[in-house]
Amino acid sequence: MDSNDLLPPGILVHGSPREIGRHFAAIALMQPVDRTVDGVICAPRAAPELAARGLARCRLPVTSLRDPPGWPDPPAQTVANWYIKSPEHIGAPAGFDELVQVAGEGFGTWPHPTTLLCLGALGLLPDGPAIDLGCGSGLLAQAWATTRGPVTAIDIDNRAITQAQSSMAHAGLDTRVDFRCGPIGRLLPGALGTVLFANVPPIAHHEIMAALRPNGQTLLMSGLRVSAAAPILDAYTHLGFRIARASESDGWGCWVLTHPPTATRSRSAKKGNNHR
Ligand SMILES: C[S@@+](CC[C@H](N)C(=O)[O-])C[C@H]1O[C@@H](n2cnc3c(N)ncnc32)[C@H](O)[C@@H]1O
């Protein structure tokens, strides 16, 4: 028996707007598609595994509905204060920042552990213009555009750029993001940003290191298993980056790396020389 057979076609979660907001992390997993005076209607069969988890966690009363109230795609879920949703899901309650994803073929529509780790770490990053290197479906770029500021989003895969652009338009943020399709090695040198997101495979990290002029950037780095990360972390450290934070999920890692601005480095290097 698969989890679909265990779930009703629809679920009405009963609660006031305040109660719904308080339990929203569980309700988001059940795929909320409509609000009524009684609460929120969910379409659990659109994402059975997530919905089963949400139903098990939900502390509000629920009623089963006979007909599916919709098939939202991609599925919704929350991570930290982010609510990732399709255009068919209800909007975010107070306390959540909304990220809209349309269906498509870009990596990240069904968020990978590394994407979720990066989203959870965004709050640790300083303000500044950002560059999303290998933006995939555009979740990280959209998160930055919605809460912080302008972003340049780069991906080699035209399908990812198309999907990210369409999601950004649904979120009303398309004017805050400069999309560029092509390889990181060619596009990074012309892009302006002090905050870099790089949730990409190891080979693309080497491309970044070859193209980057390190000078005061903060780099949110992922795309690697913790067990395989040492050579990449060593190579960034060799360029002058230091590891400020590290997190892990399901064996995947995510690191915040910081590089001191060149002026500060040469001043402190001179200071160091004076002490010799
Ligand atoms: C692991 S996915 C991450 C997507 C997104 N950043 C996220 O966090 O969900 C990596 C993305 O990097 C893109 N990519 C890989 N190598 C690249 C390269 N050399 N230049 C540009 N994009 C690249 C892929 O097309 C893919 O969309």
Side-chain angles (χ1 to χ4, degrees):
M1 188 184 284
D2 70 19
S3 46
N4 234 338
D5 299 322
L6 303 172
L7 291 164
I11 292 174
L12 171 60
V13 182
H14 297 261
S16 65
R18 201 189 162 100
E19 289 168 322
I20 297 294
R22 203 169 332 125
H23 295 268
F24 196 70
I27 294 169
L29 293 172
M30 289 191 265
Q31 311 305 313
V33 290
D34 205 1
R35 292 180 200 274
T36 74
V37 287
D38 298 315
V40 168
I41 293 175
C42 300
R45 292 192 178 178
E49 284 171 20
L50 294 179
R53 270 168 41 205
L55 193 55
R57 273 192 225 163
C58 186
R59 296 288 163 261
L60 294 175
V62 299
T63 307
S64 297
L65 305 175
R66 270 214 335 252
D67 298 315
W71 295 94
D73 178 38
Q77 63 179 300
T78 64
V79 52
N81 62 321
W82 301 106
Y83 167 43
I84 306 166
K85 68 179 276 290
S86 78
E88 290 81 38
H89 290 96
I90 61 170
F96 283 91
D97 290 312
E98 185 173 297
L99 298 175
V100 184
Q101 288 275 279
V102 300
E105 294 170 72
F107 178 101
T109 309
W110 183 285
H112 189 264
T114 55
T115 309
L116 298 181
L117 281 168
C118 289
L119 276 176
L122 283 187
L124 304 170
L125 305 180
D127 286 333
I131 310 173
D132 189 355
L133 298 160
C135 67
S137 67
L139 270 175
L140 303 180
Q142 190 179 131
W144 199 257
T146 197
T147 54
R148 300 291 197 93
V151 192
T152 302
I154 294 171
D155 206 289
I156 200 163
D157 184 343
N158 192 42
R159 293 166 306 173
I161 292 287
T162 302
Q163 186 190 6
Q165 275 176 318
S166 175
S167 295
M168 221 67 76
H170 272 277
L173 295 165
D174 35 348
T175 56
R176 303 200 87 182
V177 186
D178 178 10
F179 287 100
R180 302 192 187 173
C181 188
I184 289 167
R186 177 164 61 78
L187 296 177
L188 174 57
L192 292 178
T194 53
V195 180
L196 311 180
F197 314 141
N199 180 14
V200 288
I203 190 164
H205 282 291
H206 289 292
E207 206 174 320
I208 291 168
M209 286 186 256
L212 186 64
R213 298 287 159 266
N215 183 9
Q217 296 96 337
T218 300
L219 173 67
L220 181 61
M221 206 277 266
S222 191
L224 312 167
R225 293 213 165 260
V226 173
S227 56
I232 302 287
L233 287 170
D234 283 351
Y236 277 116
T237 308
H238 206 70
L239 289 178
F241 283 91
R242 71 173 190 86
I243 301 172
R245 293 292 281 263
S247 51
E248 181 182 345
S249 171
D250 288 343
W252 295 95
C254 176
W255 297 264
V256 177
L257 307 182
T258 56
H259 189 278
T262 306
T264 315
R265 284 183 80 211
S266 47
R267 263 205 306 278
S268 55
K270 270 190 200 147
K271 237 175 154 183
N273 287 340
N274 291 342
H275 285 299
R276 273 198 208 142

